[in-house]
Amino acid sequence: DGGITQSPKYLFRKEGQNVTLSCEQNLNHDAMYWYRQDPGQGLRLIYYSQIVNDFQKGDIAEGYSVSREKKESFPLTVTSAQKNPTAFYLCASTPIFGRRTDTQYFGPGTRLTVL
Amino acid sequence: GQQVMQIPQYQHVQEGEDFTTYCNSSTTLSNIQWYKQRPGGHPVFLIQLVKSGEVKKQKRLTFQFGEAKKNSSLHITATQTTDVGTYFCAGNSNSGYALNFGKGTSLLVTP
């Protein structure tokens, strides 16, 4: 089955620790995205990648970092510089970046709780 | 920058009642997409509207795109408990490439 996987589903970390969230897709999509979701805030774009070895900051990139070394993978690191990291993190992909009619395919999400 | 506003934020209805959520953009949109997120789940694509004044139906769901391509609505007729979730609109402007999501409308349906 084609799709996007995110692991783990739930993640707990102590304050001050960096943590990396994984996102893998086997859809052969060029573009990948990371969103953060907080109650009542909708989806806010953290980073996106148009193609392998490329990535760009989204609206709320501070305290986060990403890499795109492989087409299938787009891991997100939540660093200790992120002031309020507890949230639901969603990874998504589209076939081609910038093609406006492409729809976003979302992974199941990772719920991060920082204690 | 482009903003997509969505109202209401929450809606609680009795099963069988109708429901509507509205999406408004500060700029003209090239297209608009609607997604549904069930509680505890992830957003799933419902439909896309591209043409001015376009209306599309999916069973009890009716989607409209305004004539000026700045607003859209989703109407559910005779809600069922399976309609529970958060409905998001997301728009692309004519000049940008980022999909801007509204904050969503959370629908609760009680039997």
Side-chain angles (χ1 to χ4, degrees):
Chain A
D1 288 339
I4 300 180
T5 57
Q6 290 183 247
S7 61
K9 188 171 183 178
Y10 299 96
L11 191 56
F12 297 89
R13 279 296 181 268
K14 292 183 178 180
E15 192 172 348
Q17 290 182 333
N18 291 354
V19 60
T20 298
L21 281 58
S22 77
C23 176
E24 303 280 332
Q25 55 102 354
N26 61 4
L27 300 167
N28 199 33
H29 285 178
D30 282 343
M32 298 186 74
Y33 311 80
W34 273 105
Y35 293 92
R36 171 181 171 138
Q37 187 174 32
D38 297 282
Q41 292 295 318
L43 302 174
R44 293 186 289 171
L45 183 64
I46 305 172
Y47 266 97
Y48 64 94
S49 169
Q50 298 184 34
I51 201 166
V52 65
N53 292 322
D54 164 84
F55 51 84
Q56 307 290 335
K57 292 182 178 180
D59 300 320
I60 56 166
E62 186 176 353
Y64 300 97
S65 66
V66 293
S67 62
R68 187 84 186 279
E69 297 176 1
K70 297 187 300 181
K71 187 175 186 177
E72 304 79 23
S73 179
F74 190 40
L76 172 75
T77 297
V78 184
T79 75
S80 56
Q82 168 50 232
K83 295 178 181 179
N84 186 18
T86 294
F88 187 47
Y89 291 88
L90 287 159
C91 180
S93 69
T94 56
I96 296 175
F97 181 79
R99 192 166 63 185
R100 296 190 181 96
T101 53
D102 280 356
T103 60
Q104 301 235 337
Y105 291 77
F106 286 89
T110 292
R111 193 167 298 277
L112 173 64
T113 302
V114 176
L115 306 172
Chain B
Q2 178 199 339
Q3 290 188 352
V4 176
M5 309 299 290
Q6 197 172 348
I7 57 170
Q9 187 174 1
Y10 302 98
Q11 186 80 57
H12 182 187
V13 301
Q14 294 288 319
E15 191 172 22
E17 292 181 338
D18 291 356
F19 159 78
T20 304
T21 173
Y22 300 91
C23 187
N24 294 286
S25 171
S26 56
T27 59
T28 302
L29 300 170
S30 63
N31 58 296
I32 195 158
Q33 300 174 0
W34 285 91
Y35 294 78
K36 177 183 179 181
Q37 183 177 23
R38 295 182 184 275
H42 58 278
V44 174
F45 173 75
L46 290 177
I47 207 160
Q48 177 166 231
L49 304 171
V50 178
K51 299 177 183 177
S52 169
E54 189 170 15
V55 178
K56 288 188 175 180
K57 292 189 176 184
Q58 287 181 350
K59 296 182 180 179
R60 295 177 294 103
L61 277 62
T62 301
F63 303 83
Q64 293 188 333
F65 201 10
E67 293 289 341
K69 301 184 76 173
K70 284 189 173 184
N71 56 74
S72 181
S73 65
L74 158 59
H75 179 81
I76 302 178
T77 304
T79 54
Q80 300 176 359
T81 55
T82 54
D83 296 324
V84 166
T86 301
Y87 293 85
F88 293 97
C89 61
N92 274 305
S93 72
N94 286 323
S95 58
Y97 292 104
L99 190 62
N100 290 290
F101 282 85
K103 291 187 177 182
T105 296
S106 293
L107 172 64
L108 178 62
V109 181
T110 51

